[in-house]
Amino acid sequence: MSDATAASPRVLVTGGAGYIGSHVLHALTDAGLPAVTIDNLSTGRRAAVPDTVPLVEGDIGSADLLERVIREHGVDAVMHFAGSIVVPESVEKPLAYYRNNTANSLTLLDTCRRLGIGNLVFSSTAAVYGAPTRVPIDEDTPPAPINPYGASKLMTEQMLRDAGAAHGLRSVILRYFNVAGADPAGRTGQATPTATHLIKVACQALLGRRPALSIFGTDYDTPDGTCIRDYIHVSDLADAHVLALLHLRRGGESLTLNCGYGHGASVHEVVRTLEEVSGEPVPATLAPRRPGDPPQLVAAADRIRERLGWVPKRDRLDVIVRDALAWERSLAP
Ligand SMILES: NC(=O)c1ccc[n+]([C@@H]2O[C@H](COP(=O)([O-])OP(=O)(O)OC[C@H]3O[C@@H](n4cnc5c(N)ncnc54)[C@H](O)[C@@H]3O)[C@@H](O)[C@H]2O)c1
Ligand SMILES: O=c1ccn([C@@H]2O[C@H](COP(=O)(O)OP(=O)(O)O[C@H]3O[C@H](CO)[C@@H](O)[C@H](O)[C@H]3O)[C@@H](O)[C@H]2O)c(=O)[nH]1
């Protein structure tokens, strides 16, 4: 018997074995919403997927695979996380990023169109804004990406808008700011040892799993000279995805929404908070600026609360770093 006979439709989660996708699979499971995931395990891990969710190992560039999974599992909606995410790598290998993030998204959207799937939640990024001169950044700020990663995501946004107008494919485009932390229950977290995200790297340095954290740039035009970012707890972000799915299933209109808290923290503040939470020093060295880092990225974050009724539960930097550190400790060194 195929899953298509089950009472409740399933959501297809692409990239569900990855950092954010796995948190969303747990949130869906907690909410009693059935899911299936396709992941090629290029950066994801099988163990991150909840036991109750079927994992189909394969590549979303295959229209045949997408069609088979959508038909066999009775899928009515898609959450699209699969992609390549490392900004400097996107500068070195732009065509690989346009293939995995843009061309494969085109295959996915076209498969949705052919099979009449009308609901899609898309993982976009604050990188579509580039280096905006004003913060907070609202959703009407003209996008101006400054690297191929951001451009590859913006192209998918454009395809979604055009496909929405022409084919009735409704979407919620979620532009994530700086995603951090881990599942408070310890079921999943950021597990890529070579990840470049500040909070992950700082936790690794604190635990002696990296020699030291490099603080990239202390001469920015910010109060303490280091860059400011809007860090959002991954579990709050996962809740926003569940709300976006329910919005679309209710027949709600297409939306583009920032995902952040609307306030930022500097690199120094992140390091200090981690030291306070752990009671231990973070080995850190002052380093030159990392090319392409905007001084401040802070979301205007009202629209997602108004449109989806999202109420974040973990809007505290100490909670974010506490959960990130607990997860990091749980990983084998
Ligand atoms: N992590 C962040 O701070 C952040 C910020 C903004 C946006 N995003 C977006 O969120 C999404 C998820 O990011 P993440 O941090 O969880 O990354 P991740 O690398 O942990 O997860 C991506 C997942 O997609 C899978 N994948 C990649 N290409 C695939 C393909 N062609 N076919 C099938 N599976 C494939 C990987 O194996 C992995 O499990 C990405 O689209 C990313 O651009 C992430
Ligand atoms: O080892 C490190 C790593 C980072 N930073 C600084 O910490 C801040 C945050 O950096 P990072 O965690 O790498 O995130 P961003 O470069 O801001 O980019 C993230 O957030 C974007 C949205 O804001 C997403 O699009 C990207 O995918 C995601 O990597 C920046 O000022 C970095 O210079 C350091 O000082 N040392």
Side-chain angles (χ1 to χ4, degrees):
M1 185 182 77
S2 92
D3 285 335
T5 54
S8 188
R10 263 179 213 269
V11 52
L12 168 60
V13 174
T14 73
Y19 171 49
I20 302 169
S22 64
H23 284 83
V24 172
L25 285 179
H26 280 286
L28 289 166
T29 306
D30 292 347
L33 298 168
V36 55
T37 187
I38 299 178
D39 199 299
N40 65 6
L41 302 181
S42 53
T43 57
R45 299 174 317 132
R46 188 175 288 278
V49 176
D51 291 342
T52 51
V53 175
L55 164 64
V56 179
E57 194 178 333
D59 199 289
I60 57 149
S62 164
D64 289 346
L65 176 70
L66 291 169
E67 178 166 352
R68 179 170 66 75
V69 171
I70 287 171
R71 288 193 189 283
E72 281 183 7
H73 291 270
V75 166
D76 75 325
V78 174
M79 289 179 166
H80 180 30
F81 298 91
S84 305
I85 71 157
V86 183
V87 172
E89 187 183 55
S90 81
V91 177
E92 286 160 27
K93 302 180 193 166
L95 301 184
Y97 272 66
Y98 289 116
R99 181 175 305 284
N100 203 26
N101 292 352
T102 313
N104 286 347
S105 294
L106 171 59
T107 301
L108 175 66
L109 268 55
D110 198 39
T111 306
C112 289
R113 178 195 58 79
R114 278 194 298 108
L115 301 183
I117 305 291
N119 308 317
L120 196 144
V121 181
F122 175 56
S123 297
S124 190
T125 166
V128 300
Y129 295 119
T133 46
R134 279 189 321 170
V135 291
I137 307 158
D138 70 34
E139 291 87 345
D140 299 325
T141 304
I146 54 170
N147 50 58
Y149 168 70
S152 71
K153 290 292 198 172
L154 184 60
M155 287 181 189
T156 301
E157 288 198 6
Q158 189 60 46
M159 290 193 291
L160 279 167
R161 290 195 191 93
D162 293 343
H167 308 303
L169 175 64
R170 285 169 308 113
S171 59
V172 176
I173 294 169
L174 296 176
R175 291 177 174 163
Y176 313 160
F177 281 64
N178 285 63
V179 188
D183 177 40
R187 297 171 296 183
T188 185
Q190 169 57 269
T192 310
T194 53
T196 56
H197 298 106
L198 173 65
I199 293 179
K200 169 89 180 172
V201 174
C203 290
Q204 290 174 315
L206 183 128
L207 295 176
R209 294 173 187 177
R210 295 205 190 208
L213 168 73
S214 296
I215 297 179
F216 296 138
T218 51
D219 58 349
Y220 286 97
D221 185 15
T222 57
D224 69 17
T226 61
C227 288
I228 292 176
R229 296 288 182 272
D230 188 339
Y231 295 93
I232 174 173
H233 195 296
V234 63
S235 295
D236 277 341
L237 182 67
D239 291 346
H241 283 77
V242 174
L243 293 171
L245 173 68
L246 297 177
H247 166 86
L248 290 172
R249 280 187 171 158
R250 279 196 304 270
E253 61 175 336
S254 292
L255 299 169
T256 299
L257 302 170
N258 285 342
C259 296
Y261 292 140
H263 54 83
S266 72
V267 176
H268 278 325
E269 284 171 321
V270 167
V271 171
R272 201 162 50 241
T273 305
L274 179 57
E275 293 183 331
E276 283 163 12
V277 163
S278 65
E280 293 168 50
V282 176
T285 56
L286 304 183
R289 292 183 179 197
R290 189 173 67 176
D293 276 343
Q296 292 200 48
L297 285 176
V298 177
D302 300 332
R303 195 179 290 180
I304 185 168
R305 295 169 192 249
E306 287 160 13
R307 305 308 295 269
L308 296 183
W310 179 66
V311 181
K313 300 190 194 85
R314 303 169 185 88
D315 175 6
R316 281 179 38 185
L317 192 56
D318 60 336
V319 171
I320 294 174
V321 301
R322 182 198 67 198
D323 290 347
L325 182 60
W327 168 256
E328 203 59 42
R329 282 191 203 281
S330 77
L331 294 173

